[in-house]
C-alpha cells in the first residue's frame, strides 16, 4: 500500500544553486547534508553547526568550492529580485519596504525585517533575497 508524505518533487518547493566555499576533497558536502546560509559571499552556504537553524539541504555531492551546489531551501518560499534604495543591504541582512515600491536594508529598529539577502548588485541597485 502506498502512503501519503515523503519527499516531494522540486516543483513543490524552493530550489536554488549556491556555492559552499568550505567544500573540499577532505570536507565534501554530501547529498542530504544539512546547511545554513553563509555571509562569506553571494549565494554561499556552509554545513550547519550544532544547534544551528537548518536552512537548506544539499541535493548532491560537491568536493570543491567552485562547483555549483543545488539545494532545497527550507523556511523560505522563493528567491526574489528587489530594487533597493539607500545604502545597499549586505549579504545575510533582512529587508523592509521603503514606502516607494522598493525595499531598503532593515536596521536594528526595524522589527518587521524579512528575508536573507543572497546577492547584491550595487551597480544596478538590486538584491536577490530568500523570502
Amino acid at each position: 500500500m502506498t502512503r501519503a508524505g515523503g519527499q516531494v518533487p522540486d516543483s513543490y518547493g524552493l530550489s536554488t544553486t549556491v556555492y559552499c566555499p568550505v567544500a573540499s576533497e577532505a570536507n565534501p558536502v554530501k547529498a542530504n547534508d544539512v546547511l545554513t546560509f553563509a555571509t562569506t559571499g553571494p549565494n554561499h552556504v556552509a554545513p550547519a553547526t550544532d544547534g544551528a537553524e537548518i536552512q537548506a539541504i544539499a541535493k548532491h555531492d560537491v568536493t570543491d568550492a567552485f562547483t555549483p551546489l543545488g539545494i532545497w531551501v527550507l523556511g523560505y518560499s522563493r528567491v526574489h529580485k528587489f530594487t533597493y534604495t539607500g545604502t545597499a543591504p549586505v549579504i545575510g541582512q533582512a529587508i523592509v519596504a521603503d514606502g516607494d515600491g522598493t525595499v531598503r536594508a532593515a536596521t536594528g529598529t526595524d522589527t518587521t525585517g524579512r528575508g536573507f539577502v543572497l546577492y547584491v548588485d550595487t551597480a544596478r541597485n538590486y538584491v536577490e533575497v530568500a523570502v
Side-chain angles (χ1 to χ4, degrees):
M1 174 186 261
T2 59
R3 66 174 183 83
Q7 197 167 13
V8 296
D10 279 348
S11 61
Y12 293 3
L14 176 59
S15 294
T16 194
T17 306
V18 295
Y19 294 102
C20 185
V22 298
S24 66
E25 289 284 338
N27 293 311
V29 172
K30 302 276 189 183
N32 293 313
D33 278 358
V34 295
L35 308 164
T36 58
F37 288 121
T39 58
T40 53
N43 297 304
H44 282 189
V45 294
T49 58
D50 183 27
E53 178 184 6
I54 300 167
Q55 295 175 317
I57 306 293
K59 289 184 173 187
H60 54 86
D61 299 353
V62 293
T63 57
D64 65 77
F66 306 105
T67 300
L69 172 63
I71 61 170
W72 287 291
V73 180
L74 307 174
Y76 300 96
S77 62
R78 66 183 299 131
V79 173
H80 194 79
K81 179 178 168 181
F82 294 96
T83 301
Y84 69 85
T85 58
T87 303
V90 297
I91 305 280
Q93 193 167 20
I95 57 168
V96 294
D98 74 350
D100 238 357
T102 61
V103 300
R104 64 176 173 78
T107 64
T109 59
D110 295 321
T111 58
T112 58
R114 179 168 184 159
F116 189 103
V117 173
L118 295 170
Y119 178 80
V120 180
D121 187 327
T122 55
R124 294 179 182 93
N125 277 50
Y126 77 84
V127 291
E128 292 176 0
V129 184
V131 291

